[in-house]
Amino acid sequence: IPGPAGGCRDAAGAADNAMEGGAQQSSLWEPPEQDGGPGERDGGEGLPEVKRSQPLFIHGSSRPPPQEEPRASSLPSIPNPFPELCSPSNSPILSSPTLGQGPPREGTSHVVKVFGEDGACRSLEVSAGTTARQLCETLVRRTRALHDHSWALVELHQHLALERCLEDHESVVEVQSSWAPGADSRFVFRKNFAKYELFKSNASLFPEVMVSSCLEANKSMAHSELIQNFLNSGSCPEVQGFLQLREAGRKVWKRFHFSLRRSGLYYSTKGTSKDPRHLQYFADLTESNIYYVTQGKKLYGTPTEFGFCIKPHKVRSGVKGLKLLCSEDEQSRSCWMAAFRLFKYGMQLYRNYQQAQARLSQPPWIGPTPLRSVSDNALVAMDFSGCTGRVIENPNEVLTAALEEAQAWRKKTTHRYSLPAACHSSPLSAAIHRTQPWFHGRISREDTQQLISRQGLVDGVFLVRESQRNPKGFVLSLCHLQRIKHYLILPSEEEGRLYFTMDDGQTRFADLIQLVEFHQINRGILPCKLRHYCTCVAL
């Protein structure tokens, strides 16, 4: 029937066919032409109402009506004839957005800028679920740095002089989205040897005077055993001690006695009283982040240099809302910071440490275990000490023979550690230490202390630098008991041979490499062995 009625009946019939045909008919659905529907082509002025069915309005978008989606989900998958040009999900099956097939795509990628300690910047494209550990592993591969679990991503707010180390499981994109627009905030990629130190030297990190209430409640347990039980259970011991608190809206600091309990952080308004009437609730640690204050005296007028800050999530910028605290020494601050981390993350922190240890035990290669050659499988231990060789079958004897051979090899190569002759003194041998990652050249004493402090005040953290007072000397800077000590290394010459010493010639070394390798195995005159060297990588 021509005219508007015919156009309407054609649209109604199309609707009936679509409803009766089910998903099979909807798969052939196409958007209408740009010049309008059937009614418009017939020249009608309007579409009259039809009682038996309503017209199916087909919109010119690439997505079907919502009621058709459940039927479309039952359609068979369409094989992709070009698998090399497949979707980002790397699936050889085409997933049309109009059919609603396949899992929903993750959010769009984000760009994260990471800075090195030298100020260089690198931009990385990451997904929304990328964690701090995954980003660190990517940077380690790209910079070809030595892989260990001490690499960390640090959140730095320069305008507030605040910084903290992100935990391995934290989402980088979530942290970046919490920054205020235009704020001077950034991520810094660097070493942090103190990140998991609480699981290695827990007894020294929690002094007895700061966990005395727990010791009184568990008198039958030793101090180290008690702390280890707390760590194994993923809980935090009750910590208490005096802290300096900055009053809100003022630059006045007052000393209060704080207590960290299971219900939160409190301070006493009357001395060291634990009476509930005198305890004042201070902060919700689960909805806050804990930061180190790097320039406390300059920006906030802290009484000491050991300040830290509790920053609630709702505080995006500015000093208002920050809860500034200050401890009397570094040991007290480290104890509070470790306790806050345990209180907030609990067992997740211990799982991060276990996963980091498991990654270190994995082989350095990626992929399946490489096959050994036939010649490797045919190797056996032999003893050639007698007239004829014999196969050693006893495993204990094999180990003893290997140790004896290694000792004999060391005796043959003692010329490497002997004092070089005058003819061997060349500019290349005298400057070979410059290629080592622990050598930092002409760095000042103040910059050295800041670098070691940033990378973790852990026993054995060290670096070697040139002396500013003695033009021919060097300085070994070492951290011990959260304090940085400096040892002068002087060159000397005897019978035309050059050597280096730290004890007036009693112990001599051919070069700085030998000096460092010796003190990595033996303590010597140092208070502890050299364990971790400070290093900076170029992004």
Side-chain angles (χ1 to χ4, degrees):
I1 303 175
C8 182
R9 270 200 297 271
D10 293 341
D16 294 340
N17 294 335
M19 297 295 292
E20 295 172 2
Q24 183 176 1
Q25 185 70 18
S26 63
S27 63
L28 302 177
W29 173 84
E30 295 181 356
E33 299 178 359
Q34 298 297 328
D35 55 352
E40 296 179 359
R41 287 195 302 267
D42 292 341
E45 298 179 356
L47 298 178
E49 181 178 359
V50 180
K51 295 184 179 180
R52 63 182 177 90
S53 64
Q54 294 294 331
L56 177 64
F57 294 99
I58 304 177
H59 302 278
S61 62
S62 60
R63 181 169 296 180
Q67 63 268 20
E68 295 297 329
E69 291 181 2
R71 298 177 180 176
S73 61
S74 61
L75 288 176
S77 301
I78 306 174
N80 185 3
F82 304 102
E84 67 275 7
L85 302 177
C86 57
S87 61
S89 61
N90 294 328
S91 172
I93 303 299
L94 289 175
S95 57
S96 174
T98 61
L99 300 180
Q101 291 187 359
R105 292 184 181 180
E106 198 176 359
T108 57
S109 59
H110 302 263
V111 176
V112 175
K113 288 186 177 181
V114 182
F115 289 79
E117 292 188 281
D118 57 352
C121 173
R122 170 170 288 193
S123 298
L124 300 172
E125 187 177 5
V126 300
S127 61
T130 302
T131 62
R133 170 49 49 190
Q134 293 172 345
L135 189 59
C136 286
E137 291 177 349
T138 301
L139 291 172
V140 166
R141 289 193 300 267
R142 294 193 177 185
T143 58
R144 294 178 174 86
L146 182 63
H147 181 68
D148 55 24
H149 63 259
S150 59
W151 289 106
L153 201 63
V154 178
E155 179 189 4
L156 176 61
H157 301 282
Q158 292 184 326
H159 61 293
L160 300 176
L162 304 179
E163 67 175 37
R164 75 178 182 98
C165 174
L166 268 66
E167 304 296 344
D168 288 350
H169 66 279
E170 287 191 77
S171 172
V172 178
V173 176
E174 289 184 6
V175 175
Q176 183 174 256
S177 62
S178 65
W179 297 346
D184 191 6
S185 304
R186 60 177 59 180
F187 289 123
V188 180
F189 177 64
R190 70 178 184 219
K191 289 273 190 177
N192 184 13
F193 299 105
K195 182 165 60 173
Y196 293 122
E197 194 66 18
L198 67 105
F199 297 108
K200 301 176 183 178
S201 57
N202 46 56
S204 60
L205 194 58
F206 294 93
E208 295 185 13
V209 64
M210 298 189 68
V211 292
S212 57
S213 57
C214 295
L215 292 175
E216 292 177 1
N218 301 272
K219 297 182 179 180
S220 60
M221 300 180 63
H223 173 225
S224 59
E225 183 182 0
L226 177 65
I227 300 301
Q228 189 62 47
N229 287 345
F230 276 107
L231 296 178
N232 294 340
S233 60
S235 57
C236 175
E238 183 175 340
V239 180
Q240 57 188 10
F242 283 97
L243 291 173
Q244 297 277 353
L245 169 63
R246 181 181 177 179
E247 295 186 359
R250 301 179 61 186
K251 296 183 179 180
V252 180
W253 292 78
K254 288 189 177 181
R255 192 167 181 259
F256 292 95
H257 189 266
F258 281 78
S259 299
L260 179 61
R261 299 186 172 186
R262 294 182 179 180
S263 54
L265 182 63
Y266 299 83
Y267 69 93
S268 177
T269 58
K270 187 177 181 180
T272 59
S273 174
K274 296 182 180 180
D275 194 312
R277 297 175 301 174
H278 303 147
L279 292 180
Q280 183 73 29
Y281 186 76
F282 183 68
D284 185 7
L285 298 181
T286 58
E287 297 296 329
S288 306
N289 287 324
I290 316 299
Y291 294 83
Y292 285 95
V293 179
T294 57
Q295 300 178 11
K297 288 189 175 182
K298 181 179 179 180
L299 290 180
Y300 307 108
T302 56
T304 66
E305 298 178 354
F306 313 107
F308 56 98
C309 170
I310 300 177
K311 182 176 178 291
H313 295 330
K314 60 182 179 180
V315 178
R316 295 176 62 87
S317 64
V319 182
K320 188 177 180 180
L322 300 180
K323 299 181 182 296
L324 298 169
L325 299 168
C326 185
S327 58
E328 298 177 355
D329 51 30
E330 182 60 36
Q331 184 182 26
S332 174
R333 181 171 70 166
S334 299
C335 179
W336 283 109
M337 297 295 285
F340 291 155
R341 292 173 63 198
L342 284 172
F343 182 90
K344 182 176 181 179
Y345 299 109
M347 202 63 188
Q348 179 64 50
L349 201 64
Y350 186 62
R351 284 195 292 266
N352 292 346
Y353 170 70
Q354 289 181 321
Q355 293 173 2
Q357 294 295 109
R359 283 190 293 268
L360 289 180
S361 61
Q362 292 177 355
W365 55 78
I366 301 176
T369 304
L371 298 176
R372 298 183 61 185
S373 63
V374 178
S375 58
D376 291 338
N377 294 327
L379 293 178
V380 294
M382 299 288 295
D383 179 17
F384 296 100
S385 59
C387 299
T388 59
R390 67 180 182 89
V391 177
I392 305 177
E393 298 180 355
N394 188 353
N396 295 329
E397 188 179 357
V398 170
L399 180 60
T400 303
L403 294 176
E404 292 179 355
E405 184 177 357
Q407 186 65 23
W409 178 84
R410 290 190 182 95
K411 291 181 179 179
K412 294 179 182 179
T413 57
T414 52
H415 64 277
R416 180 187 184 279
Y417 298 101
S418 61
L419 297 179
C423 59
H424 293 163
S425 298
S426 63
L428 180 61
S429 61
I432 192 174
H433 54 268
R434 297 183 180 274
T435 63
Q436 302 302 308
W438 40 258
F439 185 75
H440 289 256
R442 296 190 62 84
I443 183 175
S444 65
R445 186 187 185 100
E446 292 75 15
D447 293 340
T448 298
Q449 297 192 165
Q450 292 180 7
L451 178 60
I452 295 179
S453 300
R454 289 196 302 264
Q455 298 196 4
L457 293 176
V458 177
D459 289 355
V461 177
F462 75 98
L463 62 83
V464 179
R465 57 187 174 89
E466 296 180 2
S467 176
Q468 293 181 314
R469 297 181 179 180
N470 193 323
K472 295 184 179 180
F474 301 89
V475 177
L476 172 65
S477 301
L478 173 66
C479 179
H480 178 62
L481 297 179
Q482 298 179 337
R483 293 185 178 182
I484 303 173
K485 302 180 180 180
H486 308 273
Y487 299 88
L488 183 62
I489 305 173
L490 292 175
S492 183
E493 192 171 338
E494 182 179 348
E495 298 180 357
R497 296 181 177 181
L498 179 68
Y499 61 89
F500 297 88
T501 180
M502 291 192 300
D503 53 5
D504 297 330
Q506 296 183 11
T507 309
R508 306 176 183 180
F509 302 95
D511 50 38
L512 295 182
I513 297 180
Q514 182 185 357
L515 184 146
V516 170
E517 290 179 349
F518 174 84
H519 289 94
Q520 286 177 331
I521 303 174
N522 309 278
R523 191 181 70 175
I525 65 170
L526 303 178
C528 63
K529 299 178 183 179
L530 305 181
R531 294 175 53 196
H532 313 289
Y533 57 84
C534 288
T535 183
C536 300
V537 296
L539 295 179

